[in-house]
Amino acid sequence: MTVFNFDRQPATPTMPAPPRADQIEIRVNADAAWLPSLRVVAADLATRADFDLDEVADLRMAVDQACAELVSAADSGAVLVCRFAMDRDRITVTATVPVSGPTAIPRDTFGWRVLTTLVDEVEVLDGADPSQGAGCMLCLRLGMLRQAAPR
Amino acid sequence: MTTEHHAEAAASGGSRRAEPNGYDELMSLFEEFAGLDENDTRRAVLRQRLVEGYLPVAQHIARRFAQRGEPLDDLEQVATLGLIGAIDRFEPTRGVDFLSYAVPTITGEVRRHFRDHGWGVRVPRRLKDLHLRLRTAMSQLSQQLGRAPTATELAGHLQLPREEIVEGLEVANAYRGTSLERLTDEESSGGFADVVGEADTELDRVEYREALQPLLSRLPERERTIIKLRFFGNMTQTQIADRVGISQMHVSRLLSQTLATLRDGLSRE
């Protein structure tokens, strides 16, 4: 697992340029074995950003669910990229895997119900990614908005 | 070679070549045992001899898990139950030797005991105490605020550094057991039939109900209730905790575990 903490480390030439501070990007093999690490990071970031503990637990489960769906759709040997962006009043999690062709995430499943119940915003982004050359990327973006007053 | 060494060889791999003669003799007992009719009175005698014969293996595995905060007596008992289960289910005709089958079975049983009854990892006393204080504070603050507290609110309430609170909350997630819950949680009896009813109505409306319903019906009642209240009854974990009479942390853990179970079940459909 490589963890890029854009906030604290200066970018080296091999790293993609960080769009903003307050972002953490994790790259893992698209394998369910990495789900526990991803959800621990999600919970830790939300706790430290002072989301209330219901929101922390919900985000933890949502990241687990979203990444599990992506892992099962991913090409074999693919890399799952999970990016966490912290803003004043929200955490945005963007998880992306390469897929062999255009892949839809059905909305009439229990998994979708789980995602949309746990976080405030769920977005599916799919299509070709020009930066990756040919091939399709499947991406789930989750947005959790803060209910409690920020510290 | 002492019995202790037999168990050592068994626990570290259990290949047929490493098996001493004593276990070979037990293997022939196994063939007789497995060939007997369910109601044959000789089965009980043979079973007893097999359990006694392999007991050092179970004891050895139990000792490997000692020093983790659970009494050795309990671990030996769990390991012995695992052994008995392995003896009952073992099929000598499959061509696998008993120890290769029994060692992982017994080890799994002991691990499950830790998962269900103890701390999954060895946690310092200080953090266990903090865990209990956190849970009490969460319950009090939830009452006051009408929602779950944040780490900063907990720090203010307990007058502890925020970093210590974050650490304590991480411990809560590392801790997979339920013995603390059994100490402090008292399940309320009923009283939430009305909300479950509403959740059921909502569940009836969804398209994937047919795939989900049989999986839900296989869950323990409490887990099923929690899933319905969270995903079809629009209640937060803190509200569910209040309703069901267990802590929010416990609700959170049950929800995560149950979601994983449902996900596995649905992907196999």
Side-chain angles (χ1 to χ4, degrees), chain A residues 77-141:
Chain A
V79 170
L80 167 70
V81 180
C82 199
R83 180 175 281 197
F84 301 86
M86 277 70 67
D87 291 300
R88 195 180 134 81
D89 290 318
R90 61 180 290 141
I91 290 184
T92 310
V93 184
T94 314
T96 311
V97 285
V99 286
S100 51
T103 308
I105 293 204
R107 313 276 167 114
D108 59 352
T109 62
F110 179 60
W112 186 258
R113 174 82 178 205
V114 166
L115 281 180
T116 51
T117 306
L118 291 174
V119 292
D120 300 293
E121 297 165 5
V122 187
E123 227 181 319
V124 183
L125 311 166
D126 48 4
D129 180 346
S131 74
Q132 301 285 317
C136 291
M137 305 299 279
L138 180 62
C139 171
L140 272 170
R141 182 176 291 158

Short mmCIF file of all heavy atoms in Angstrom, two decimals, chain A residues 77-141:
data_model
loop_
_atom_site.label_atom_id
_atom_site.label_comp_id
_atom_site.label_asym_id
_atom_site.label_seq_id
_atom_site.Cartn_x
_atom_site.Cartn_y
_atom_site.Cartn_z
N GLY A 77 -5.77 -7.78 -11.41
CA GLY A 77 -4.48 -7.09 -11.30
C GLY A 77 -4.58 -5.58 -11.31
O GLY A 77 -3.57 -4.88 -11.38
N ALA A 78 -5.81 -5.06 -11.22
CA ALA A 78 -6.00 -3.61 -11.29
C ALA A 78 -5.60 -2.95 -9.97
O ALA A 78 -5.49 -3.60 -8.94
CB ALA A 78 -7.45 -3.30 -11.61
N VAL A 79 -5.42 -1.63 -10.03
CA VAL A 79 -5.12 -0.85 -8.84
C VAL A 79 -6.33 0.02 -8.51
O VAL A 79 -6.90 0.66 -9.38
CB VAL A 79 -3.88 0.04 -9.06
CG1 VAL A 79 -3.71 1.04 -7.92
CG2 VAL A 79 -2.63 -0.82 -9.20
N LEU A 80 -6.73 -0.03 -7.25
CA LEU A 80 -7.82 0.82 -6.77
C LEU A 80 -7.21 2.07 -6.16
O LEU A 80 -6.33 1.99 -5.31
CB LEU A 80 -8.63 0.06 -5.72
CG LEU A 80 -9.63 0.84 -4.87
CD1 LEU A 80 -10.82 1.30 -5.69
CD2 LEU A 80 -10.11 -0.02 -3.70
N VAL A 81 -7.66 3.21 -6.65
CA VAL A 81 -7.18 4.48 -6.10
C VAL A 81 -8.29 5.10 -5.28
O VAL A 81 -9.41 5.28 -5.78
CB VAL A 81 -6.76 5.45 -7.22
CG1 VAL A 81 -6.25 6.77 -6.62
CG2 VAL A 81 -5.67 4.82 -8.08
N CYS A 82 -7.99 5.40 -4.04
CA CYS A 82 -9.01 5.95 -3.16
C CYS A 82 -8.49 7.30 -2.64
O CYS A 82 -7.45 7.36 -1.99
CB CYS A 82 -9.24 4.98 -2.01
SG CYS A 82 -10.77 5.24 -1.16
N ARG A 83 -9.20 8.35 -2.99
CA ARG A 83 -8.75 9.68 -2.59
C ARG A 83 -9.75 10.31 -1.62
O ARG A 83 -10.94 10.31 -1.85
CB ARG A 83 -8.60 10.56 -3.83
CG ARG A 83 -8.15 11.97 -3.52
CD ARG A 83 -7.89 12.77 -4.77
NE ARG A 83 -6.59 12.43 -5.36
CZ ARG A 83 -5.98 13.21 -6.25
NH1 ARG A 83 -6.54 14.33 -6.65
NH2 ARG A 83 -4.82 12.85 -6.74
N PHE A 84 -9.22 10.81 -0.51
CA PHE A 84 -10.04 11.44 0.51
C PHE A 84 -9.72 12.93 0.51
O PHE A 84 -8.56 13.30 0.62
CB PHE A 84 -9.71 10.88 1.90
CG PHE A 84 -9.92 9.40 2.04
CD1 PHE A 84 -8.93 8.50 1.68
CD2 PHE A 84 -11.12 8.90 2.53
CE1 PHE A 84 -9.12 7.13 1.81
CE2 PHE A 84 -11.32 7.53 2.67
CZ PHE A 84 -10.32 6.65 2.31
N ALA A 85 -10.75 13.75 0.38
CA ALA A 85 -10.54 15.20 0.40
C ALA A 85 -11.35 15.78 1.56
O ALA A 85 -12.54 15.54 1.69
CB ALA A 85 -10.99 15.82 -0.92
N MET A 86 -10.66 16.51 2.43
CA MET A 86 -11.32 17.11 3.59
C MET A 86 -11.54 18.59 3.37
O MET A 86 -10.61 19.34 3.11
CB MET A 86 -10.46 16.92 4.85
CG MET A 86 -10.62 15.57 5.52
SD MET A 86 -9.93 14.21 4.58
CE MET A 86 -8.19 14.62 4.67
N ASP A 87 -12.79 19.01 3.46
CA ASP A 87 -13.12 20.42 3.44
C ASP A 87 -13.69 20.77 4.80
O ASP A 87 -13.89 19.91 5.64
CB ASP A 87 -14.16 20.72 2.34
CG ASP A 87 -13.55 20.56 0.97
OD1 ASP A 87 -12.59 21.27 0.68
OD2 ASP A 87 -14.04 19.70 0.21
N ARG A 88 -14.00 22.04 4.96
CA ARG A 88 -14.52 22.50 6.24
C ARG A 88 -15.76 21.71 6.67
O ARG A 88 -15.85 21.25 7.79
CB ARG A 88 -14.86 23.99 6.12
CG ARG A 88 -15.06 24.69 7.43
CD ARG A 88 -15.38 26.15 7.17
NE ARG A 88 -16.51 26.59 7.97
CZ ARG A 88 -16.40 26.94 9.24
NH1 ARG A 88 -15.23 26.91 9.84
NH2 ARG A 88 -17.46 27.33 9.91
N ASP A 89 -16.67 21.52 5.75
CA ASP A 89 -17.94 20.91 6.13
C ASP A 89 -18.24 19.59 5.43
O ASP A 89 -19.35 19.10 5.50
CB ASP A 89 -19.09 21.89 5.84
CG ASP A 89 -19.04 23.06 6.80
OD1 ASP A 89 -18.77 22.80 8.00
OD2 ASP A 89 -19.22 24.20 6.36
N ARG A 90 -17.24 19.03 4.75
CA ARG A 90 -17.52 17.77 4.09
C ARG A 90 -16.25 16.96 3.87
O ARG A 90 -15.15 17.50 3.84
CB ARG A 90 -18.21 18.00 2.75
CG ARG A 90 -17.38 18.81 1.76
CD ARG A 90 -18.13 18.99 0.45
NE ARG A 90 -18.23 17.73 -0.27
CZ ARG A 90 -19.31 17.36 -0.94
NH1 ARG A 90 -20.38 18.11 -0.96
NH2 ARG A 90 -19.31 16.22 -1.58
N ILE A 91 -16.47 15.66 3.75
CA ILE A 91 -15.40 14.77 3.30
C ILE A 91 -15.88 14.17 1.98
O ILE A 91 -17.03 13.73 1.88
CB ILE A 91 -15.13 13.64 4.31
CG1 ILE A 91 -14.47 14.22 5.56
CG2 ILE A 91 -14.22 12.57 3.70
CD1 ILE A 91 -14.07 13.16 6.58
N THR A 92 -15.02 14.20 0.99
CA THR A 92 -15.35 13.58 -0.29
C THR A 92 -14.40 12.43 -0.52
O THR A 92 -13.18 12.58 -0.40
CB THR A 92 -15.22 14.59 -1.44
OG1 THR A 92 -15.92 15.79 -1.08
CG2 THR A 92 -15.79 14.03 -2.72
N VAL A 93 -14.95 11.26 -0.80
CA VAL A 93 -14.14 10.09 -1.08
C VAL A 93 -14.34 9.73 -2.54
O VAL A 93 -15.48 9.55 -2.97
CB VAL A 93 -14.54 8.90 -0.20
CG1 VAL A 93 -13.60 7.72 -0.44
CG2 VAL A 93 -14.54 9.29 1.27
N THR A 94 -13.26 9.67 -3.30
CA THR A 94 -13.36 9.32 -4.71
C THR A 94 -12.56 8.03 -4.92
O THR A 94 -11.34 8.02 -4.75
CB THR A 94 -12.79 10.44 -5.59
OG1 THR A 94 -13.31 11.69 -5.12
CG2 THR A 94 -13.20 10.24 -7.03
N ALA A 95 -13.26 6.97 -5.25
CA ALA A 95 -12.60 5.67 -5.43
C ALA A 95 -12.73 5.27 -6.90
O ALA A 95 -13.80 5.36 -7.48
CB ALA A 95 -13.22 4.62 -4.53
N THR A 96 -11.62 4.84 -7.49
CA THR A 96 -11.57 4.58 -8.93
C THR A 96 -10.84 3.27 -9.22
O THR A 96 -9.80 3.00 -8.63
CB THR A 96 -10.82 5.73 -9.64
OG1 THR A 96 -11.34 6.97 -9.19
CG2 THR A 96 -10.98 5.64 -11.14
N VAL A 97 -11.39 2.48 -10.13
CA VAL A 97 -10.68 1.30 -10.65
C VAL A 97 -10.79 1.27 -12.16
O VAL A 97 -11.80 1.72 -12.72
CB VAL A 97 -11.24 -0.04 -10.13
CG1 VAL A 97 -10.87 -0.31 -8.70
CG2 VAL A 97 -12.74 -0.16 -10.37
N PRO A 98 -9.78 0.70 -12.84
CA PRO A 98 -9.92 0.45 -14.27
C PRO A 98 -10.83 -0.77 -14.50
O PRO A 98 -10.77 -1.73 -13.75
CB PRO A 98 -8.49 0.14 -14.72
CG PRO A 98 -7.75 -0.24 -13.50
CD PRO A 98 -8.46 0.35 -12.33
N VAL A 99 -11.69 -0.68 -15.50
CA VAL A 99 -12.59 -1.79 -15.83
C VAL A 99 -12.43 -2.11 -17.32
O VAL A 99 -11.96 -1.26 -18.09
CB VAL A 99 -14.06 -1.46 -15.50
CG1 VAL A 99 -14.29 -1.50 -14.00
CG2 VAL A 99 -14.45 -0.09 -16.03
N SER A 100 -12.83 -3.31 -17.71
CA SER A 100 -12.55 -3.76 -19.08
C SER A 100 -13.44 -3.07 -20.11
O SER A 100 -13.09 -2.96 -21.27
CB SER A 100 -12.69 -5.26 -19.17
OG SER A 100 -13.93 -5.64 -18.63
N GLY A 101 -14.60 -2.58 -19.71
CA GLY A 101 -15.47 -1.89 -20.64
C GLY A 101 -16.42 -1.03 -19.85
O GLY A 101 -16.38 -1.05 -18.62
N PRO A 102 -17.27 -0.29 -20.52
CA PRO A 102 -18.23 0.54 -19.78
C PRO A 102 -19.01 -0.32 -18.79
O PRO A 102 -19.54 -1.36 -19.15
CB PRO A 102 -19.15 1.09 -20.88
CG PRO A 102 -18.32 1.02 -22.12
CD PRO A 102 -17.41 -0.16 -21.97
N THR A 103 -19.01 0.10 -17.55
CA THR A 103 -19.64 -0.69 -16.50
C THR A 103 -20.64 0.17 -15.75
O THR A 103 -20.30 1.26 -15.31
CB THR A 103 -18.57 -1.17 -15.49
OG1 THR A 103 -17.52 -1.81 -16.21
CG2 THR A 103 -19.15 -2.15 -14.48
N ALA A 104 -21.86 -0.34 -15.63
CA ALA A 104 -22.86 0.42 -14.90
C ALA A 104 -22.94 -0.10 -13.48
O ALA A 104 -22.69 -1.27 -13.23
CB ALA A 104 -24.21 0.29 -15.58
N ILE A 105 -23.26 0.76 -12.56
CA ILE A 105 -23.57 0.32 -11.20
C ILE A 105 -25.07 0.44 -11.04
O ILE A 105 -25.61 1.53 -11.07
CB ILE A 105 -22.82 1.17 -10.16
CG1 ILE A 105 -21.32 0.88 -10.30
CG2 ILE A 105 -23.33 0.87 -8.75
CD1 ILE A 105 -20.49 1.14 -9.09
N PRO A 106 -25.76 -0.71 -10.95
CA PRO A 106 -27.21 -0.66 -10.90
C PRO A 106 -27.72 0.06 -9.64
O PRO A 106 -27.11 -0.02 -8.59
CB PRO A 106 -27.63 -2.13 -10.90
CG PRO A 106 -26.41 -2.89 -10.50
CD PRO A 106 -25.24 -2.08 -10.87
N ARG A 107 -28.83 0.77 -9.82
CA ARG A 107 -29.36 1.57 -8.70
C ARG A 107 -30.46 0.85 -7.93
O ARG A 107 -30.96 1.38 -6.95
CB ARG A 107 -29.97 2.88 -9.25
CG ARG A 107 -29.09 3.63 -10.23
CD ARG A 107 -28.10 4.49 -9.49
NE ARG A 107 -27.06 4.99 -10.37
CZ ARG A 107 -26.89 6.28 -10.67
NH1 ARG A 107 -27.72 7.17 -10.20
NH2 ARG A 107 -25.90 6.64 -11.44
N ASP A 108 -30.85 -0.33 -8.41
CA ASP A 108 -31.97 -1.01 -7.75
C ASP A 108 -31.49 -2.13 -6.85
O ASP A 108 -32.17 -3.12 -6.65
CB ASP A 108 -32.95 -1.54 -8.79
CG ASP A 108 -32.29 -2.52 -9.74
OD1 ASP A 108 -31.04 -2.65 -9.68
OD2 ASP A 108 -33.00 -3.15 -10.55
N THR A 109 -30.26 -2.00 -6.33
CA THR A 109 -29.71 -3.05 -5.48
C THR A 109 -29.66 -2.62 -4.02
O THR A 109 -29.76 -1.43 -3.70
CB THR A 109 -28.27 -3.39 -5.89
OG1 THR A 109 -27.47 -2.22 -5.71
CG2 THR A 109 -28.19 -3.84 -7.33
N PHE A 110 -29.48 -3.61 -3.17
CA PHE A 110 -29.31 -3.31 -1.74
C PHE A 110 -28.03 -2.50 -1.52
O PHE A 110 -28.00 -1.59 -0.70
CB PHE A 110 -29.28 -4.62 -0.94
CG PHE A 110 -29.10 -4.41 0.54
CD1 PHE A 110 -30.02 -3.67 1.27
CD2 PHE A 110 -28.01 -4.95 1.20
CE1 PHE A 110 -29.86 -3.47 2.63
CE2 PHE A 110 -27.84 -4.76 2.57
CZ PHE A 110 -28.76 -4.03 3.28
N GLY A 111 -26.97 -2.84 -2.27
CA GLY A 111 -25.71 -2.11 -2.15
C GLY A 111 -25.89 -0.62 -2.39
O GLY A 111 -25.34 0.22 -1.68
N TRP A 112 -26.69 -0.28 -3.39
CA TRP A 112 -26.96 1.14 -3.70
C TRP A 112 -27.75 1.79 -2.59
O TRP A 112 -27.50 2.92 -2.18
CB TRP A 112 -27.69 1.24 -5.04
CG TRP A 112 -27.86 2.66 -5.47
CD1 TRP A 112 -28.98 3.42 -5.37
CD2 TRP A 112 -26.85 3.50 -6.05
NE1 TRP A 112 -28.75 4.69 -5.84
CE2 TRP A 112 -27.45 4.76 -6.27
CE3 TRP A 112 -25.51 3.30 -6.39
CZ2 TRP A 112 -26.74 5.83 -6.83
CZ3 TRP A 112 -24.81 4.36 -6.94
CH2 TRP A 112 -25.42 5.61 -7.16
N ARG A 113 -28.72 1.03 -2.08
CA ARG A 113 -29.51 1.52 -0.96
C ARG A 113 -28.61 1.84 0.23
O ARG A 113 -28.76 2.87 0.90
CB ARG A 113 -30.53 0.43 -0.58
CG ARG A 113 -31.35 0.74 0.66
CD ARG A 113 -32.48 1.63 0.27
NE ARG A 113 -33.35 1.94 1.38
CZ ARG A 113 -34.62 2.28 1.23
NH1 ARG A 113 -35.15 2.33 0.02
NH2 ARG A 113 -35.36 2.58 2.26
N VAL A 114 -27.68 0.93 0.50
CA VAL A 114 -26.76 1.11 1.62
C VAL A 114 -25.95 2.40 1.42
O VAL A 114 -25.88 3.24 2.32
CB VAL A 114 -25.81 -0.11 1.73
CG1 VAL A 114 -24.62 0.17 2.64
CG2 VAL A 114 -26.59 -1.32 2.25
N LEU A 115 -25.38 2.56 0.23
CA LEU A 115 -24.56 3.74 -0.03
C LEU A 115 -25.35 5.03 0.13
O LEU A 115 -24.91 5.96 0.80
CB LEU A 115 -24.01 3.69 -1.46
CG LEU A 115 -22.79 2.80 -1.71
CD1 LEU A 115 -22.38 2.87 -3.17
CD2 LEU A 115 -21.64 3.21 -0.80
N THR A 116 -26.52 5.07 -0.47
CA THR A 116 -27.28 6.32 -0.46
C THR A 116 -27.87 6.61 0.93
O THR A 116 -28.17 7.75 1.25
CB THR A 116 -28.41 6.30 -1.50
OG1 THR A 116 -29.17 5.10 -1.32
CG2 THR A 116 -27.86 6.35 -2.91
N THR A 117 -28.02 5.58 1.77
CA THR A 117 -28.48 5.81 3.13
C THR A 117 -27.34 6.36 4.00
O THR A 117 -27.53 7.21 4.84
CB THR A 117 -29.01 4.52 3.77
OG1 THR A 117 -30.00 3.95 2.93
CG2 THR A 117 -29.63 4.78 5.14
N LEU A 118 -26.12 5.83 3.75
CA LEU A 118 -25.01 6.14 4.65
C LEU A 118 -24.39 7.51 4.41
O LEU A 118 -23.93 8.15 5.35
CB LEU A 118 -23.91 5.07 4.51
CG LEU A 118 -24.27 3.67 5.03
CD1 LEU A 118 -23.17 2.69 4.70
CD2 LEU A 118 -24.52 3.70 6.54
N VAL A 119 -24.32 7.92 3.15
CA VAL A 119 -23.69 9.23 2.88
C VAL A 119 -24.69 10.15 2.19
O VAL A 119 -25.72 9.71 1.68
CB VAL A 119 -22.41 9.09 2.02
CG1 VAL A 119 -21.30 8.40 2.82
CG2 VAL A 119 -22.67 8.37 0.73
N ASP A 120 -24.36 11.44 2.19
CA ASP A 120 -25.30 12.43 1.66
C ASP A 120 -25.32 12.45 0.14
O ASP A 120 -26.34 12.77 -0.46
CB ASP A 120 -24.92 13.81 2.19
CG ASP A 120 -24.97 13.86 3.71
OD1 ASP A 120 -26.09 13.75 4.24
OD2 ASP A 120 -23.92 13.96 4.35
N GLU A 121 -24.18 12.15 -0.47
CA GLU A 121 -24.11 12.21 -1.94
C GLU A 121 -23.39 10.98 -2.47
O GLU A 121 -22.33 10.61 -1.94
CB GLU A 121 -23.33 13.45 -2.39
CG GLU A 121 -23.98 14.75 -1.99
CD GLU A 121 -23.03 15.94 -2.12
OE1 GLU A 121 -21.90 15.73 -2.63
OE2 GLU A 121 -23.41 17.03 -1.72
N VAL A 122 -23.97 10.36 -3.49
CA VAL A 122 -23.29 9.26 -4.18
C VAL A 122 -23.36 9.56 -5.67
O VAL A 122 -24.42 9.88 -6.20
CB VAL A 122 -23.98 7.89 -3.93
CG1 VAL A 122 -23.13 6.77 -4.53
CG2 VAL A 122 -24.21 7.65 -2.46
N GLU A 123 -22.21 9.48 -6.31
CA GLU A 123 -22.15 9.78 -7.73
C GLU A 123 -21.37 8.67 -8.41
O GLU A 123 -20.34 8.24 -7.90
CB GLU A 123 -21.35 11.08 -7.88
CG GLU A 123 -21.94 12.11 -8.79
CD GLU A 123 -21.00 13.32 -8.84
OE1 GLU A 123 -20.46 13.72 -7.79
OE2 GLU A 123 -20.81 13.82 -9.96
N VAL A 124 -21.86 8.19 -9.54
CA VAL A 124 -21.09 7.22 -10.32
C VAL A 124 -20.51 7.97 -11.52
O VAL A 124 -21.25 8.62 -12.25
CB VAL A 124 -21.97 6.07 -10.83
CG1 VAL A 124 -21.11 5.04 -11.57
CG2 VAL A 124 -22.72 5.42 -9.70
N LEU A 125 -19.21 7.87 -11.67
CA LEU A 125 -18.58 8.48 -12.84
C LEU A 125 -17.95 7.34 -13.61
O LEU A 125 -17.13 6.60 -13.07
CB LEU A 125 -17.49 9.46 -12.40
CG LEU A 125 -17.88 10.47 -11.31
CD1 LEU A 125 -16.64 11.13 -10.73
CD2 LEU A 125 -18.81 11.51 -11.90
N ASP A 126 -18.37 7.13 -14.84
CA ASP A 126 -17.67 6.12 -15.62
C ASP A 126 -17.37 6.67 -17.00
O ASP A 126 -17.91 7.68 -17.42
CB ASP A 126 -18.44 4.80 -15.70
CG ASP A 126 -19.89 5.01 -16.05
OD1 ASP A 126 -20.26 6.17 -16.30
OD2 ASP A 126 -20.64 4.03 -16.08
N GLY A 127 -16.49 6.01 -17.67
CA GLY A 127 -16.11 6.46 -18.99
C GLY A 127 -14.61 6.43 -19.15
O GLY A 127 -13.89 6.05 -18.22
N ALA A 128 -14.16 6.79 -20.33
CA ALA A 128 -12.73 6.74 -20.62
C ALA A 128 -12.01 7.85 -19.87
O ALA A 128 -12.53 8.94 -19.70
CB ALA A 128 -12.50 6.90 -22.11
N ASP A 129 -10.83 7.52 -19.37
CA ASP A 129 -10.02 8.52 -18.72
C ASP A 129 -8.84 8.83 -19.63
O ASP A 129 -7.99 7.98 -19.86
CB ASP A 129 -9.54 7.98 -17.37
CG ASP A 129 -8.68 8.99 -16.63
OD1 ASP A 129 -8.24 9.96 -17.27
OD2 ASP A 129 -8.44 8.79 -15.43
N PRO A 130 -8.76 10.06 -20.16
CA PRO A 130 -7.70 10.38 -21.11
C PRO A 130 -6.30 10.21 -20.52
O PRO A 130 -5.38 9.79 -21.21
CB PRO A 130 -7.96 11.85 -21.46
CG PRO A 130 -9.04 12.33 -20.57
CD PRO A 130 -9.66 11.18 -19.90
N SER A 131 -6.16 10.44 -19.22
CA SER A 131 -4.83 10.36 -18.61
C SER A 131 -4.36 8.91 -18.49
O SER A 131 -3.19 8.65 -18.27
CB SER A 131 -4.82 11.03 -17.25
OG SER A 131 -5.50 10.21 -16.32
N GLN A 132 -5.27 7.97 -18.61
CA GLN A 132 -4.91 6.56 -18.48
C GLN A 132 -4.76 5.90 -19.85
O GLN A 132 -4.68 4.69 -19.96
CB GLN A 132 -5.99 5.80 -17.70
CG GLN A 132 -6.23 6.34 -16.30
CD GLN A 132 -5.14 5.96 -15.33
OE1 GLN A 132 -4.67 4.83 -15.32
NE2 GLN A 132 -4.70 6.92 -14.53
N GLY A 133 -4.73 6.68 -20.92
CA GLY A 133 -4.69 6.09 -22.26
C GLY A 133 -6.03 5.44 -22.55
O GLY A 133 -7.07 5.92 -22.11
N ALA A 134 -5.99 4.33 -23.28
CA ALA A 134 -7.24 3.64 -23.60
C ALA A 134 -7.78 2.99 -22.33
O ALA A 134 -7.10 2.93 -21.31
CB ALA A 134 -6.99 2.59 -24.66
N GLY A 135 -8.99 2.49 -22.38
CA GLY A 135 -9.54 1.78 -21.25
C GLY A 135 -10.50 2.64 -20.47
O GLY A 135 -10.49 3.86 -20.56
N CYS A 136 -11.32 1.97 -19.70
CA CYS A 136 -12.37 2.67 -18.97
C CYS A 136 -12.05 2.69 -17.49
O CYS A 136 -11.39 1.80 -16.95
CB CYS A 136 -13.69 1.93 -19.15
SG CYS A 136 -14.31 2.05 -20.82
N MET A 137 -12.52 3.71 -16.84
CA MET A 137 -12.40 3.79 -15.39
C MET A 137 -13.82 3.80 -14.82
O MET A 137 -14.72 4.40 -15.39
CB MET A 137 -11.70 5.08 -14.99
CG MET A 137 -10.34 5.30 -15.62
SD MET A 137 -9.16 4.01 -15.20
CE MET A 137 -8.64 4.54 -13.57
N LEU A 138 -13.96 3.12 -13.68
CA LEU A 138 -15.22 3.19 -12.96
C LEU A 138 -14.94 3.89 -11.64
O LEU A 138 -13.99 3.55 -10.94
CB LEU A 138 -15.77 1.78 -12.72
CG LEU A 138 -17.10 1.70 -11.98
CD1 LEU A 138 -18.22 2.38 -12.76
CD2 LEU A 138 -17.48 0.24 -11.72
N CYS A 139 -15.77 4.86 -11.33
CA CYS A 139 -15.47 5.70 -10.18
C CYS A 139 -16.73 5.96 -9.36
O CYS A 139 -17.81 6.22 -9.90
CB CYS A 139 -14.89 7.02 -10.69
SG CYS A 139 -14.70 8.26 -9.43
N LEU A 140 -16.59 5.84 -8.06
CA LEU A 140 -17.68 6.19 -7.15
C LEU A 140 -17.22 7.36 -6.29
O LEU A 140 -16.12 7.32 -5.72
CB LEU A 140 -18.01 5.00 -6.24
CG LEU A 140 -19.02 4.00 -6.76
CD1 LEU A 140 -19.06 2.77 -5.86
CD2 LEU A 140 -20.42 4.61 -6.85
N ARG A 141 -18.05 8.37 -6.21
CA ARG A 141 -17.70 9.52 -5.38
C ARG A 141 -18.74 9.66 -4.27
O ARG A 141 -19.94 9.74 -4.55
CB ARG A 141 -17.63 10.79 -6.22
CG ARG A 141 -17.22 12.02 -5.41
CD ARG A 141 -17.07 13.23 -6.27
NE ARG A 141 -15.92 13.11 -7.16
CZ ARG A 141 -15.79 13.80 -8.29
NH1 ARG A 141 -16.75 14.62 -8.68
NH2 ARG A 141 -14.72 13.66 -9.03
#
